[in-house]
Amino acid sequence: MKNKLTIKSRLWIISQEETFLGEGRVALLLAISELGSISKAAKSMNMSYLKAWKLVESMNKASSQPLVERSTGGKQGGGTTLTKQGQKVIQLFKNLTKDHDQYLNQKLEKHLREF
């Protein structure tokens, strides 16, 4: 082969009922963490607030602990924060994705040598 080949694949973690985590959901969690708001995070991703809220709600429901918490009112208004569990889940997904990519590329290299 002239060029080195690699495999690109996407990873999803699913619960019994639906997707728990994927690249898009992790991107939403990161945007919420950075912007402090589901609304702002959704806007930054060209996503409707309703869709973003439903995704957050489904992730919170599937998790043993909430990933995102909302606060209302106060002097500066409400906001949204990523919990420690949310931070752990993001790191878990990043680690699994890295391991997944490494495994697939190792398998590819092995099979290409035999090819």
Side-chain angles (χ1 to χ4, degrees):
M1 297 253 133
K2 288 183 178 181
N3 296 320
K4 179 172 169 62
L5 301 175
T6 60
I7 293 178
K8 192 67 179 155
S9 178
R10 292 184 68 156
L11 182 69
W12 288 271
I13 300 173
I14 58 172
S15 70
Q16 293 174 347
E17 299 161 10
E18 61 187 342
T19 300
F20 173 54
L21 284 177
E23 288 179 20
R25 290 171 185 245
V26 169
L28 177 61
L29 291 173
L30 288 167
I32 290 168
S33 177
E34 180 183 324
L35 301 171
S37 158
I38 294 173
S39 178
K40 289 177 184 175
K43 188 174 183 176
S44 77
M45 297 177 70
N46 295 318
M47 179 187 299
S48 75
Y49 172 80
L50 182 60
K51 180 175 181 176
W53 174 244
K54 285 183 179 183
L55 290 172
V56 167
E57 200 171 51
S58 74
M59 288 185 283
N60 277 346
K61 180 179 157 192
S63 179
S64 61
Q65 299 173 33
L67 307 182
V68 174
E69 290 181 334
R70 293 178 61 190
S71 59
T72 55
K75 257 186 180 177
Q76 310 203 338
T80 307
T81 57
L82 201 60
T83 64
K84 287 187 182 195
Q85 184 74 2
Q87 294 167 359
K88 287 179 185 178
V89 163
I90 289 170
Q91 194 57 53
L92 167 71
F93 188 81
K94 286 180 178 182
N95 291 343
L96 288 173
T97 298
K98 180 182 172 189
D99 291 349
H100 178 246
D101 289 346
Q102 286 176 347
Y103 173 80
L104 290 175
N105 282 298
Q106 287 171 353
K107 287 294 186 182
L108 175 63
E109 287 177 26
K110 178 183 180 237
H111 289 292
L112 287 175
R113 283 192 300 270
E114 297 170 357
F115 182 63

